């Protein structure tokens, strides 16, 4: 009983010093990969990089302690990070305090959802996400993730468009206008280091080596070169005018948002009071406020893009200050500092007394030292209602990823897995992570592979991983200041290459064409609707359920005859000649309310097409379940068929179906002598009576006879 509540107690059975040492080394090895990866994934989720470290603090340890797999490495992963960004984008600006709060709340909701499913033993719910849907979504997500990092690779900034492809078009246009070559070179160099080390020696932590080398180069060369200055240092009237216009638009937005909130409260109050005129007035005010906000947002967006496109040259003055001139309007004979300067523009108004001028590349920057404070995230039921579908999708998708990885490793280690216990572990990991300022996490394939390869014996390796992250947060965060953003982009792009699986589409199509079609449609829908990734999954799930329902309503009903190998096979598939006096009909699937009439229609077709028919034998081996509608249909068929002078029997009825027949008195109606244990027994029993006045020389049910086309 104790092992069920605390599954980690089973780790220490036959555990020795050697196992402890192996777990310690494995945990530290995973941490060397996790620390840089987690920072990259946090930025993919729209959060500051150090929140990736927070997500690597408690979740790996708690998920291992209460999960089922001993080698599964939990933490930030690419797909869940992308889903987090997609779910929070409509609610707040990426990186803002509100956005961070909602991400932590989302982690709590995902954890509660997973924990509830685990405690209720409902791990099978994950089966609603079929493999074709997940394959299509994962491939699309890999492309979206990789392309979302292009702006960091080129060193440009653009606003997020309503559709992902529009954002990528904007990135390409901005990169054509200006690319910060040192940023691109740093990212490509990181790619080269990671790929080269992975090819030369997979045991070397290639991500960590790339991060260490590029961070040192960044610090040594002064890769980041920001300069604070006042607006008067801009020798560009156009730039100064654009700053004023941008500030005017962006400054007016907060007050309008507050005004809209007040109007919304008035609207809700009017609805509660059933004040029709008040509702119309309040709704009008809300609509007007929405239009004004939309216009201001568009104005701010246009001015922001124009400011980002301005390229300036710096000229050092005698007093040590710098004047900034448009690159196409530098005074003759003036010597510049050789840098291309840009104005750093975010969503908030610019401080005209302290503008940030960028003359170099972007780096991670300052990371708060120490552990995050532990607290339950603020509960906002309105926001939770909006996040609920996203939380459910992330919970199921994250768990499916985790359990797939765990099963793959269990096949190598021989460990027995409990999917519901793994749900509990993942749920508790997300709940505890939310208390420690984490966003949603899941099992990582790459880090789990590292853990397994390092020889991890138990989940204690994940405890050592968490301890290593704690040490990094306490003592090593200043060393990460100069880590280039393009290197983190390269880390993400390198990681998602493994998510691409084109062969998955081919395999699904070969198995069943409609599975391949669902996979392709899920892929295309996810790409088309990005960043609204939930729509792609919903379309895939809806198609899968539609196919399932159609197949359930139209199961395979085939006529059988003897083939050349003496087996009874499908007449249509193998081109076999049928017996004119006996119809051997096989029904493949449970017989229930949705498909009972389909069987009735097929039997009617057979009766209509065979004028000399004397007996119908229903092969029930494929009927694994039956409900009252199915039993009622069979009862009616017995009456109808026999009233036409044709007899009806069944063979291969299993125990569960037979129990229903016994309780509903169907046995008495059809007659026990009309129920046969096997097809062969049924054929030999009914053959003589059905062929008493037959004219054929040889019956296809007893002899080999293949239909010959004329």
């Amino acid at each position: 009983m104790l092992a069920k509540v605390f599954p980690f107690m089973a780790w220490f059975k036959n555990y020795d010093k050697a196992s402890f040492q192996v777990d310690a080394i494995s945990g530290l090895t995973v941490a060397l990969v996790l620390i840089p990866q987690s920072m990259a994934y946090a930025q993919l989720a729209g959060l500051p990089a150090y929140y990736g470290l927070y997500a690597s603090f408690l979740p790996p340890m708690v998920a291992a302690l209460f999960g089922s797999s001993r080698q599964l490495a939990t933490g930030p992963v690419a797909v869940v990070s992308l889903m987090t960004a997609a779910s929070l984008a409509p609610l707040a600006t990426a990186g803002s305090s509100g956005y961070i709060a909602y991400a932590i709340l989302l982690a709590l909701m995902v954890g509660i959802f997973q924990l509830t499913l685990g405690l209720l033993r409902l791990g099978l719910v994950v089966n609603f996400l079929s493999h074709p849907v997940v394959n299509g979504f994962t491939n699309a997500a890999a492309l979206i993730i990789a392309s979302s990092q292009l702006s960091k690779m080129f060193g440009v900034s653009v606003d997020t468009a309503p559709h992902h492809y529009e954002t990528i078009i904007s990135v390409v246009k901005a990169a054509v206008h200006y690319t910060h070559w040192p940023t691109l070179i740093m990212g490509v160099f990181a790619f080269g280091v990671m790929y080269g080390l992975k090819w030369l020696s997979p045991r070397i932590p290639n991500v960590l080596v790339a991060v260490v080398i590029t961070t040192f180069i960044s610090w040594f060369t002064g890769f980041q070169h920001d300069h604070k200055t006042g607006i008067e240092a801009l020798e560009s009237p156009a730039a100064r005018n654009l700053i004023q216009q941008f500030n005017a638009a962006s400054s007016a937005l907060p007050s309008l948002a507050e005004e809209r909130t007040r109007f919304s409260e008035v609207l809700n109050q009017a609805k509660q009071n059933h004040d029709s005129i008040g509702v119309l007035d309040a709704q009008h005010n809300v609509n007007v406020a929405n239009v004004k906000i939309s216009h201001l947002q568009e104005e701010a967006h246009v001015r922001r893009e124009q400011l980002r496109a301005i390229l300036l040259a710096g000229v050092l003055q005698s007093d040590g200050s710098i004047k900034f001139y448009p690159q196409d309007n530098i005074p003759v004979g003036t010597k510049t500092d050789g840098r291309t300067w840009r104005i750093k523009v975010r969503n908030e108004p610019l401080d005209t007394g302290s503008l940030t001028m960028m003359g170099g590349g972007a780096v991670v920057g300052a990371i708060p030292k120490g552990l995050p404070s532990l607290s339950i995230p603020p509960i906002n039921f309105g926001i939770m209602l909006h996040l609920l579908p996203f939380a459910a999708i992330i919970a199921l998708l994250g768990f499916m990823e985790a359990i797939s990885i765990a099963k793959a490793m269990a096949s190598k280690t021989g460990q027995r897995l409990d999917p519901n216990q793994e749900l509990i572990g993942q749920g508790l990991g997300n709940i505890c992570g939310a208390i420690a300022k984490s966003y949603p996490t899941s099992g990582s394939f790459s880090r789990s592979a590292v853990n397994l390869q390092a020889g991890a014996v138990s989940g204690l390796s994940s405890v050592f991983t968490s301890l290593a992250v704690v040490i990094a947060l306490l003592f090593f965060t200043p060393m990460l200041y100069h880590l280039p953003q393009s290197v983190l982009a390269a880390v993400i792009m390198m990681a998602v290459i493994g998510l691409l699986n084109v062969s998955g589409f081919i395999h699904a199509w070969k198995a069943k064409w409609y599975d391949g079609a669902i996979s392709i449609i899920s892929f295309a829908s996810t790409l088309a609707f990005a960043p609204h990734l939930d729509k792609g999954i919903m379309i895939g799930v809806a198609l899968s359920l539609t196919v399932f329902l159609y197949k359930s309503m139209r199961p395979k009903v085939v006529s059988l005859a003897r083939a050349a190998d003496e087996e009874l096979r499908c007449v249509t598939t193998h081109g076999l000649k049928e017996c004119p006096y006996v119809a051997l009909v096989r029904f493949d699937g449970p017989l229930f309310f949705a498909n009972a009439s389909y069987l009735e229609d097929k039997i009617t077709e057979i009766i209509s097409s065979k004028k000399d028919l004397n007996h119908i034998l229903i092969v029930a081996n494929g009927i694994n379940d039956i409900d009252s509608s199915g039993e009622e249909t069979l009862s009616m068929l017995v009456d109808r068929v026999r009233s036409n002078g044709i007899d009806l029997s069944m063979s291969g009825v299993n125990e569960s179906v037979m129990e229903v027949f016994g309780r509903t008195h169907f046995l008495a109606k059809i007659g026990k002598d009309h129920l046969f244990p096997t097809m062969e027994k049924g054929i030999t029993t009914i053959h003589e009576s059905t062929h008493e006045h037959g004219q054929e020389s040889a019956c296809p049910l007893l002899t080999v006879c293949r239909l010959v086309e004329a």
Side-chain angles (χ1 to χ4, degrees):
M1 181 62 189
L2 193 63
K4 280 191 171 292
V5 180
F6 302 108
F8 58 86
M9 298 292 289
W11 296 350
F12 304 106
K13 187 179 180 181
N14 301 323
Y15 198 78
D16 53 20
K17 183 179 178 182
S19 300
F20 180 84
Q21 291 175 341
V22 170
D23 279 341
I25 294 171
S26 301
L28 292 174
T29 304
V30 172
L32 295 178
V33 179
L34 172 61
I35 290 171
Q37 264 194 358
S38 65
M39 296 173 66
Y41 290 149
Q43 294 203 319
L44 177 62
L47 298 163
Y50 57 87
Y51 275 88
L53 296 176
Y54 293 169
S56 307
F57 167 31
L58 285 181
M61 178 171 59
V62 175
L65 288 170
F66 293 95
S68 177
S69 175
R70 297 187 180 187
Q71 286 82 27
L72 182 66
T74 300
V77 294
V79 174
V80 171
S81 298
L82 182 65
M83 285 296 297
T84 299
S87 59
L88 300 179
L91 296 176
T93 304
S96 65
S97 58
Y99 186 96
I100 294 169
Y102 297 154
I104 296 169
L105 180 61
L106 182 62
L108 180 66
M109 293 177 65
V110 169
I112 292 172
F113 192 87
Q114 290 176 327
L115 179 62
T116 303
L117 288 180
L119 292 174
L120 296 177
R121 317 295 290 176
L122 293 175
L124 293 175
V125 172
V126 76
N127 292 335
F128 280 107
L129 293 175
S130 67
H131 179 74
V133 173
V134 173
N135 180 70
F137 172 79
T138 304
N139 277 277
L143 293 179
I144 294 167
I145 291 168
S147 58
S148 69
Q149 302 305 302
L150 290 176
S151 60
K152 292 178 182 176
M153 289 293 289
F154 291 123
V156 298
S157 298
V158 298
D159 286 353
T160 301
H163 293 93
H164 181 70
Y165 66 85
E166 294 173 329
T167 304
I168 299 306
I169 291 171
S170 299
V171 169
V172 172
K173 288 180 179 178
V176 170
H177 174 68
Y178 172 75
T179 294
H180 187 244
W181 288 103
T183 294
L184 181 59
I185 291 169
M186 196 74 85
V188 172
F189 175 72
F191 257 125
V193 171
M194 289 186 290
Y195 185 79
L197 287 177
K198 186 177 181 180
W199 181 69
L200 290 171
S201 179
R203 286 185 171 274
I204 298 176
N206 56 350
V207 175
L208 182 69
V209 172
V211 165
V212 170
I213 293 174
T214 53
T215 301
F216 175 77
I217 294 173
S218 172
W219 167 77
F220 185 76
T221 60
F223 176 73
Q224 182 198 34
H225 198 85
D226 290 354
H227 180 75
K228 294 285 187 179
T229 189
I231 194 173
E232 65 279 356
L234 298 179
E235 296 296 328
S236 170
R240 291 198 296 268
N241 186 42
L242 283 173
I243 289 173
Q244 298 296 343
Q245 292 176 0
F246 171 73
N247 282 353
S250 55
S251 298
L253 282 170
S255 58
L256 268 176
E258 291 178 4
E259 186 177 302
R260 180 175 60 181
T261 301
R262 289 197 303 272
F263 289 146
S264 296
E265 291 173 353
V266 172
L267 176 62
N268 291 333
Q269 189 63 46
K271 287 180 178 178
Q272 291 176 6
N273 295 335
H274 305 289
D275 181 359
S276 301
I277 296 176
V279 168
L280 291 173
D281 287 340
Q283 187 65 63
H284 170 74
N285 291 332
V286 169
N287 291 338
V288 170
N290 282 333
V291 171
K292 289 181 179 178
I293 288 173
S294 179
H295 286 166
L296 283 175
Q297 286 175 336
E298 180 62 23
E299 172 76 9
H301 162 70
V302 171
R303 302 306 171 214
R304 187 163 46 241
E305 292 298 305
Q306 290 174 337
L307 283 169
R308 286 170 175 166
I310 295 175
L311 303 178
L312 303 168
V315 177
L316 189 63
Q317 305 298 302
S318 57
D319 61 355
S321 63
I322 302 177
K323 290 284 187 181
F324 299 93
Y325 295 86
Q327 285 192 336
D328 57 355
N329 193 24
I330 302 172
V332 179
T334 302
K335 185 179 180 181
T336 68
D337 59 4
R339 293 181 179 274
T340 297
W341 293 87
R342 294 142 289 148
I343 304 169
K344 191 171 187 176
V345 189
R346 298 186 184 275
N347 293 315
E348 61 275 3
L350 294 169
D351 182 356
T352 54
S354 182
L355 297 173
T356 300
M357 306 298 294
M358 299 183 296
V363 297
V364 168
I367 296 176
K369 192 175 181 180
L371 299 178
S373 59
L374 303 181
S375 61
I376 298 174
I379 304 299
N380 185 321
F381 290 106
I383 296 298
M384 290 178 73
L385 192 63
H386 172 85
L387 291 177
L388 187 60
F390 296 100
I393 292 172
I394 292 173
L396 293 176
L397 198 63
F399 171 65
M400 190 171 193
E401 186 175 8
I403 199 65
S404 299
I405 298 164
K407 284 180 179 178
M409 292 189 297
S411 65
K412 296 180 180 180
T413 62
Q415 183 195 345
R416 188 176 179 182
L417 285 178
D418 180 355
N420 291 300
Q421 188 63 50
E422 196 58 55
L423 260 176
I424 292 171
Q426 292 292 315
L428 287 174
N430 275 307
I431 291 171
C432 294
I435 295 173
K437 307 295 184 290
S438 166
Y439 72 98
T441 58
S442 181
S444 163
F445 181 81
S446 60
R447 296 193 298 272
S448 296
V450 170
N451 202 25
L452 183 65
Q453 190 178 33
V457 177
S458 72
L460 203 59
S461 61
S462 293
V463 176
F464 281 109
T465 299
S466 291
L467 291 176
V469 172
V470 169
I471 293 170
L473 282 168
L474 290 175
F475 303 108
F476 296 113
T477 50
M479 297 182 182
L480 297 170
Y481 181 95
H482 292 282
L483 174 58
Q485 293 279 8
S486 60
V487 173
L488 288 182
V491 169
I492 291 174
M493 295 172 83
M494 185 77 179
V496 300
I497 288 174
L499 294 177
L500 291 171
N501 179 24
V502 179
S503 62
F505 295 105
I506 300 170
H507 178 79
W509 190 278
K510 285 181 177 179
K512 289 288 185 180
W513 70 266
Y514 48 78
D515 279 339
I518 289 172
S519 194
I520 293 169
I521 293 171
S522 298
F523 172 80
S525 300
T526 303
L527 283 179
F529 287 110
H532 307 290
L533 304 182
D534 57 307
K535 293 183 179 179
I537 292 181
M538 293 297 188
I539 289 172
V541 170
L543 286 173
S544 294
L545 291 176
T546 301
V547 169
F548 170 75
L549 289 173
Y550 180 81
K551 288 173 65 180
S552 298
M553 294 171 66
R554 292 289 185 272
K556 200 169 183 181
V557 180
V558 298
S559 295
L560 303 176
R562 191 77 62 179
D565 59 0
E566 300 296 330
E567 290 292 329
L568 290 162
R569 300 191 183 279
C570 176
V571 168
T572 306
T573 304
H574 297 275
L576 303 174
K577 183 180 178 181
E578 293 184 75
C579 173
Y581 307 114
V582 178
L584 205 61
V585 183
R586 189 183 71 210
F587 187 89
D588 296 335
L591 186 59
F592 65 116
F593 68 93
N595 61 24
S597 61
Y598 184 64
L599 173 62
E600 188 176 5
D601 294 340
K602 286 295 182 181
I603 296 295
T604 303
E605 287 178 16
I606 291 170
I607 294 172
S608 301
S609 62
K610 290 188 172 185
K611 303 302 181 183
D612 298 324
L613 187 62
N614 293 326
H615 203 116
I616 297 174
L617 177 60
I618 297 177
V619 180
N621 300 69
I623 303 177
N624 54 17
D625 194 18
I626 189 169
D627 67 357
S628 60
S629 299
E631 187 276 334
E632 183 68 24
T633 298
L634 286 177
S635 183
M636 290 171 60
L637 275 174
V638 170
D639 291 336
R640 280 184 52 201
V641 170
R642 289 178 177 173
S643 66
N644 289 331
I646 302 170
D647 207 351
L648 187 144
S649 302
M650 297 181 72
S651 70
V653 180
N654 67 24
E655 293 84 351
S656 61
V657 176
M658 193 66 79
E659 287 176 4
V660 175
F661 287 172
R663 291 195 297 268
T664 57
H665 307 294
F666 179 77
L667 283 177
K669 171 168 283 192
I670 193 172
K672 289 185 178 181
D673 58 337
H674 282 67
L675 292 176
F676 306 104
T678 64
M679 287 186 290
E680 299 292 352
K681 181 68 175 175
I683 293 170
T684 55
T685 302
I686 68 175
H687 188 269
E688 186 176 349
S689 60
T690 56
H691 290 70
E692 188 174 351
H693 303 291
Q695 301 299 318
E696 60 181 359
S697 57
C699 177
L701 293 178
L702 297 180
T703 60
V704 178
C705 184
R706 184 169 293 277
L707 182 65
V708 180
E709 295 182 5

